[in-house]
C-alpha cells in the first residue's frame, strides 16, 4: 500500500551602494591574488562597504509608491511589468520616461481589479516590448510615478555575487575579513571554543542523547540566530551546488567560477561557489555519528545554544552552552542527498573530497534505512528552532534520487522507482518545496542530471516539473502582483517560497526552452525586488526602499549603532499572515496577507534572514545574470 502523501502542511543611495559594491567586486576580480593588507582589494572594499553602510542606514527610506516596479530594474530581453494600485474600473494611460524625462514608451493599463492577497485593487502595465537601456527610468500612471529603475543586460551580476557572498558572512568558525566583507561587516571567528564561547569544537549532547562530545565547528549560522540545523543546511547547500551544476549545463559556469565571489578561497582554482558550499558540507559531515557509536551514520538533527540568546549577541560573545540534539531520519537523509550531490559535482575539482562525500552519503542512507522513523519533535525549540518533520518519505525519495544520479547503482534506482513520491501527481505542493517538503527536489534532480531511468519514465518526471511550473504560472496570472503563491500562502519565510518557485520555473525553462518559463522566473525576482503590495524591495541594498533591519544578532544596527545593517544581498523572510512574533502582532493587526511584513529587527517571523531563503535568491540571481 502506498504511503500517504503529505498534502499541504501545514533610496537612490541604495542604488549607489549597489554600484559601489559591484565596483569593489570588479576590482577584486581584477586582482586574483589573495587580498593582502595593501592589495587594491584591501584598500577598496572597506571604503566601498563603509559608504554602502552609510547609504543603507540613511534614516528615511523612500515612501511607498502606487506604481510598483522591480526597483532594481528589468532586463532588456525580459518581461517588464508593473502593478498599479488604483480603484479605477477603466483602463488608464501610462508613460515610461527615461532619465531625461522624455517619454520612451506609452500605452494603457489592463484593469485587474480586487486582489485578495494584497487587499488592493490593481491594474497591470506591460512594457515588455520596450528594449532600450539606461538608468533612471520611471513609470507614470494617473499622476503617480514609480521609483526609478534601470533597464540593462548586466542587471543581476551584482546581486549574484552579493547573494552568494551572504554565505561567507554567515560562516561559523572563521574570522570574517574586512578585505572581503568590508570593515563594517568584519568580525572575529565565532564558536571555535574560545571563551566566552562554549562551542563548537567539543560539543556535548543534550541530556539523554549521548555521552560523548563532537567537534562540529564550521558551517553557516542558520539565520539571525547562531544555531546550525542539518535539514536546513542540507537544503541550502544543495541549492548552491545545484545552482552551479545548472549553470555548468547552461555553459555559464564561469559566472560562479574561481575569483567571482568575496570568499577567502578565491584564487585556488576551484569555483568559488563550491568553496563556499564546502564550508557547509564539511560541517554537515561532522554532524554524522561516527562508527562504533549508537546510530552510527545518522546525523544529529542540530546544534545550538541551550537557551535563546538576546539581540544583539555577536557570535564570538555567545556564552551559552551549545548542545547536540538527537539524530533524526530527516537530517540523515538531507545529509545523504547533499553529500551524494557533492560526490558528483566536486569530482572534477577534488576527487578526494568527492570520495569522502560519497562515503558519507552511503553511510547516511544505510543508517536512515535502518532507522526510518526517528522524527525530530516540534517541541524541541528552546534556544533554537525545531525544524520538525513528521513525514520523511519525501526525504527518502530526494536522497535516493541524488545517490542514483551519482552512482547509477541498482539499489538506489529501486529506492527511487518504488517511492510513492516518484509517481504521485501532487509532489509539488501549492507553496512548492521547503525544508519540510523535499520531494520536488528529487524530481528536479532526476529531470536535469543525466541518469539511467527508462526514457518514458524520464519524460514523465520532466513533464511533472514542467506541469508544476505551469501551475505556478497559473497562480501568478491570478494575482495582482504576479507572485507564485496562493493568497493563503504567505507563511513564515514566504519570500523563500517565492524564490523556490522561481527556481522551478527556471528549471522548466531549461527543460523546454520556452520563454514563458524564463519570464515567470524573472517575474518572481520582480516581486522580491519591489513589485509587491508594500513597494518593498526585500533585498538589502537592491532597490530604492529596501529591507535593512532584518532580525540578526550581529547585523543588529537598529539595536546598537556600532553594529552594521545586513550586507547588500540579504533577503528578508517576507510577509507572514500568521503574525508569529510580538512586533508583528503589535504593528500589523488586520494586515492583508501580502502586507504582513515590517522592517523591524524584532519581527523575526516576517523579517529574519536565513540560509534557505538566500540560497534560492542566489540561485535565481545567477540564472538571471546569465547572458546569451
Ligand atoms: O531570535 C530567534 C529567531 O532566530 C527564531 O527564528 C525565532 C523562532 O524560533 O526565535 C527567535 O528568538 C526569540 C524566541 O523564540 C523567544 N524569545 C525572544 C527571542 C528573540 O529575541
Ligand atoms: O523557516 C522556518 C519556518 O518554516 C518555521 O515556521 C519557523 C518556526 O518554526 O522557523 C523557521 O526557521 C527558523 C528556525 O526555526 C530558527 N532559525 C531561524 C529560522 C528562520 O526564521
Amino acid at each position: 500500500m502506498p504511503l500517504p502523501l503529505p498534502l499541504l502542511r501545514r533610496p537612490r543611495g541604495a542604488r549607489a551602494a549597489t554600484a559601489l559594491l559591484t565596483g569593489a567586486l570588479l576590482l577584486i576580480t581584477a586582482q586574483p591574488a589573495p587580498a593582502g593588507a595593501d592589495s587594491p582589494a584591501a584598500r577598496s572594499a572597506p571604503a566601498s562597504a563603509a559608504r554602502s553602510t552609510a547609504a543603507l542606514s540613511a534614516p528615511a527610506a523612500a515612501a511607498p509608491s502606487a506604481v510598483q516596479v522591480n526597483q532594481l530594474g528589468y532586463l532588456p530581453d525580459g518581461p517588464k511589468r508593473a502593478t498599479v494600485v488604483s480603484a479605477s474600473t477603466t483602463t488608464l494611460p501610462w508613460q515610461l520616461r527615461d532619465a531625461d524625462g522624455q517619454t520612451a514608451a506609452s500605452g494603457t493599463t489592463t484593469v485587474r481589479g480586487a486582489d485578495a492577497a494584497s487587499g488592493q485593487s490593481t491594474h497591470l502595465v506591460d512594457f515588455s516590448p520596450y528594449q532600450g537601456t539606461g538608468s533612471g527610468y520611471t513609470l507614470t500612471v494617473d499622476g503617480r510615478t514609480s521609483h526609478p529603475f534601470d533597464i540593462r543586460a548586466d542587471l543581476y551580476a551584482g546581486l549574484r555575487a552579493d547573494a552568494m557572498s551572504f554565505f561567507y558572512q554567515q560562516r561559523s568558525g572563521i574570522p570574517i575579513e574586512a578585505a572581503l566583507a568590508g570593515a563594517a561587516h568584519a568580525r572575529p571567528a565565532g564558536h571555535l571554543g574560545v571563551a566566552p564561547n562554549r562551542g563548537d569544537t567539543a560539543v556535548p549532547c543534550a541530556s539523554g542523547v549521548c555521552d560523548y562530545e563532537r567537534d562540529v565547528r564550521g558551517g553557516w549560522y542558520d539565520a539571525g540566530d547562531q544555531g546550525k540545523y542539518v535539514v536546513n543546511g542540507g537544503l541550502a547547500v544543495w541549492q548552491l551546488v545545484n545552482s552551479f551544476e545548472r549553470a555548468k549545463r547552461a555553459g555559464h559556469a564561469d559566472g560562479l567560477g574561481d575569483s567571482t565571489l568575496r570568499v577567502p578561497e578565491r584564487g585556488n582554482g576551484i569555483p568559488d561557489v563550491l568553496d563556499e558550499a564546502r564550508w557547509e558540507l564539511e560541517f554537515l559531515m561532522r554532524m554524522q555519528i561516527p562508527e562504533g557509536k549508537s546510530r552510527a551514520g545518522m546525523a544529529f538533527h542540530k546544534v545550538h545554544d541551550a537557551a535563546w540568546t538576546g539581540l544583539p549577541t555577536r557570535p564570538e560573545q555567545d556564552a551559552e552552552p551549545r548542545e547536540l540534539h538527537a539524530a533524526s531520519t530527516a537530517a540523515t537523509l538531507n545529509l545523504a542527498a547533499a553529500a551524494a550531490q557533492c560526490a558528483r559535482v566536486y569530482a572534477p575539482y577534488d576527487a578526494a573530497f568527492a570520495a569522502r562525500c560519497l562515503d558519507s552519503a552511503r553511510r547516511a542512507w544505510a543508517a536512515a534505512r535502518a532507522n526510518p522513523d526517528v522524527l525530530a519533535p516540534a517541541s524541541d525549540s528552546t534556544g533554537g528552532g525545531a525544524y520538525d518533520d513528521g513525514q520523511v518519505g519525501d526525504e527518502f525519495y530526494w536522497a535516493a534520487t541524488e545517490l542514483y544520479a551519482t552512482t547509477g547503482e541498482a539499489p538506489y534506482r529501486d529506492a527511487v522507482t518504488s517511492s510513492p513520491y516518484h509517481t504521485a501527481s501532487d509532489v509539488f505542493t501549492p507553496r512548492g518545496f521547503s525544508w519540510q517538503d523535499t520531494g520536488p527536489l528529487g524530481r528536479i534532480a532526476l529531470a536535469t542530471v543525466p541518469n539511467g531511468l527508462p526514457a518514458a519514465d524520464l519524460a514523465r518526471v520532466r513533464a511533472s516539473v514542467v506541469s508544476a511550473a505551469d501551475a505556478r504560472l497559473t497562480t501568478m496570472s491570478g494575482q495582482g502582483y504576479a507572485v507564485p503563491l496562493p493568497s493563503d500562502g504567505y507563511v513564515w519565510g514566504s519570500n523563500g517560497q517565492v524564490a523556490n518557485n522561481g527556481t522551478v520555473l527556471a528549471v522548466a525553462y531549461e527543460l523546454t526552452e520556452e520563454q514563458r518559463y524564463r519570464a515567470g522566473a524573472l517575474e518572481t525576482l520582480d516581486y522580491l525586488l519591489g513589485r509587491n503590495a508594500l513597494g518593498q524591495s526585500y533585498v538589502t541594498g537592491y532597490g530604492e526602499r529596501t529591507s535593512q533591519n532584518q532580525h540578526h544578532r550581529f547585523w543588529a544596527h537598529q539595536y546598537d549603532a556600532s553594529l552594521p545593517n545586513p550586507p547588500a544581498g540579504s533577503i528578508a523572510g517576507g510577509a507572514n499572515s500568521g503574525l508569529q512574533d510580538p512586533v508583528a502582532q503589535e504593528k500589523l493587526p488586520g494586515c492583508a496577507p501580502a502586507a504582513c511584513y515590517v522592517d523591524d529587527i524584532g519581527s523575526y517571523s516576517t523579517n529574519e534572514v536565513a540560509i534557505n531563503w538566500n540560497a534560492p535568491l542566489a540561485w535565481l540571481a545567477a540564472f538571471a545574470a546569465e547572458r546569451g
Side-chain angles (χ1 to χ4, degrees):
M1 201 174 83
L3 297 174
L5 283 178
L7 294 173
L8 250 189
R9 303 174 196 186
R10 30 306 153 199
R12 290 193 104 70
R15 284 184 345 137
T18 301
L20 283 168
L21 286 175
T22 308
L25 178 72
L26 290 175
L27 246 174
I28 296 176
T29 305
Q31 286 290 326
D38 42 33
S39 73
R43 287 196 303 274
S44 67
S48 307
R51 272 184 281 168
S52 85
T53 300
L56 296 179
S57 47
S65 162
V67 182
Q68 310 297 16
V69 296
N70 178 331
Q71 296 169 21
L72 177 62
Y74 297 88
L75 293 170
D77 65 351
K80 296 174 202 71
R81 300 195 185 100
T83 296
V84 180
V85 183
S86 170
S88 170
T89 54
T90 55
T91 63
L92 297 166
W94 58 261
Q95 297 87 37
L96 175 71
R97 297 213 169 85
D98 64 20
D100 299 328
Q102 302 299 313
T103 300
S106 60
T108 51
T109 64
T110 303
V111 181
R112 297 300 311 274
D115 175 46
S118 63
Q120 298 167 347
S121 243
T122 68
H123 289 217
L124 174 72
V125 175
D126 189 348
F127 57 107
S128 302
Y130 181 75
Q131 303 228 336
T133 58
S135 61
Y137 286 98
T138 54
L139 197 58
T140 299
V141 185
D142 208 15
R144 288 166 308 174
T145 296
S146 73
H147 293 297
F149 55 86
D150 295 354
I151 303 177
R152 58 184 164 92
D154 65 347
L155 193 71
Y156 286 107
L159 182 58
R160 168 173 58 189
D162 281 344
M164 289 279 179
S165 296
F166 169 92
F167 293 88
Y168 167 57
Q169 303 213 26
Q170 284 288 95
R171 284 191 196 182
S172 178
I174 189 173
I176 304 308
E177 297 172 27
L180 296 167
H185 290 97
R187 60 172 173 81
H191 301 96
L192 272 187
V194 178
N197 280 171
R198 297 160 78 180
D200 285 342
T201 51
V203 179
C205 281
S207 135
V209 171
C210 77
D211 57 4
Y212 53 88
E213 295 178 340
R214 293 294 293 161
D215 179 350
V216 290
R217 74 181 71 197
W220 302 316
Y221 297 126
D222 188 55
D225 65 322
Q226 291 150 16
K228 302 189 294 195
Y229 311 89
V230 170
V231 290
N232 211 40
L235 170 59
V237 79
W238 182 90
Q239 291 189 288
L240 288 200
V241 175
N242 181 265
S243 169
F244 176 75
E245 199 175 26
R246 184 209 56 74
K248 199 170 176 179
R249 285 193 304 269
H252 288 288
D254 285 0
L256 295 167
D258 193 21
S259 297
T260 56
L261 301 181
R262 295 184 298 275
V263 296
E265 300 82 6
R266 53 185 293 119
N268 67 356
I270 292 174
D272 283 351
V273 65
L274 297 187
D275 288 324
E276 187 56 62
R278 182 172 179 163
W279 191 260
E280 178 71 8
L281 285 161
E282 296 275 12
F283 159 72
L284 293 176
M285 291 193 279
R286 288 187 190 107
M287 292 291 277
Q288 191 165 28
I289 297 177
E291 298 308 308
K293 304 285 189 197
S294 164
R295 293 190 164 160
M298 290 190 81
F300 291 109
H301 193 65
K302 53 182 186 166
V303 54
H304 59 71
D305 295 314
W308 284 108
T309 57
L311 272 74
T313 298
R314 295 173 61 114
E316 80 281 9
Q317 291 168 358
D318 173 14
E320 272 297 309
R322 305 273 280 185
E323 291 175 343
L324 289 164
H325 291 243
S328 69
T329 308
T332 303
L333 290 166
N334 278 41
L335 168 63
Q341 176 200 44
C342 162
R344 179 176 70 245
V345 180
Y346 285 74
Y349 308 100
D350 187 336
F353 180 61
R356 197 146 64 77
C357 283
L358 186 56
D359 174 63
S360 173
R362 288 184 188 284
R363 287 188 293 115
W365 174 259
R369 292 284 284 224
N371 302 274
D373 52 10
V374 185
L375 304 180
S379 55
D380 188 9
S381 61
T382 301
Y387 283 113
D388 54 302
D389 195 345
Q391 167 58 261
V392 296
D394 49 332
E395 281 77 14
F396 269 108
Y397 178 60
W398 177 36
T401 63
E402 281 293 348
L403 278 156
Y404 177 54
T406 295
T407 67
E409 292 170 10
Y412 300 126
R413 184 197 58 217
D414 293 347
V416 167
T417 55
S418 66
S419 166
Y421 289 82
H422 190 53
T423 42
S425 60
D426 55 355
V427 163
F428 287 83
T429 68
R431 278 177 213 150
F433 62 85
S434 70
W435 56 267
Q436 214 168 33
D437 298 289
T438 61
L441 305 177
R443 294 282 178 94
I444 289 171
L446 291 175
T448 54
V449 180
N451 65 74
L453 285 183
D457 202 25
L458 258 186
R460 184 190 57 76
V461 166
R462 290 193 177 132
S464 78
V465 176
V466 174
S467 138
D470 284 327
R472 268 123 202 91
L473 290 180
T474 301
T475 301
M476 290 170 84
S477 68
Q479 307 293 315
Y481 288 94
V483 58
L485 290 182
S487 58
D488 65 356
Y490 291 81
V491 295
W492 193 320
S494 61
N495 285 341
Q497 297 303 131
V498 171
N500 284 344
N501 283 317
T503 69
V504 173
L505 287 158
V507 171
Y509 173 63
E510 177 184 347
L511 296 174
T512 64
E513 295 183 5
E514 288 182 31
Q515 286 296 329
R516 66 178 188 278
Y517 300 117
R518 174 172 181 263
L522 294 172
E523 282 201 86
T524 64
L525 283 167
D526 293 346
Y527 171 86
L528 299 172
L529 291 163
R531 185 187 166 201
N532 55 55
L534 298 172
Q536 177 83 21
S537 168
Y538 291 110
V539 182
T540 306
Y542 283 85
E544 300 294 314
R545 176 185 156 84
T546 85
S547 298
Q548 58 181 2
N549 293 311
Q550 290 95 321
H551 186 78
H552 197 274
R553 280 166 172 72
F554 171 50
W555 306 326
H557 184 82
Q558 193 183 340
Y559 283 160
D560 177 345
S562 74
L563 294 173
N565 292 98
S570 304
I571 190 167
N576 171 12
S577 59
L579 304 185
Q580 288 159 281
D581 66 72
V583 173
Q585 283 156 13
E586 183 201 325
K587 298 203 172 178
L588 301 169
C591 51
C596 296
Y597 168 81
V598 58
D599 185 22
D600 186 302
I601 192 169
S603 183
Y604 48 80
S605 77
T606 76
N607 199 35
E608 193 158 351
V609 293
I611 54 175
N612 61 316
W613 307 332
N614 244 84
L617 174 69
W619 194 111
L620 273 180
F623 169 78
E626 287 172 2
R627 312 307 318 149

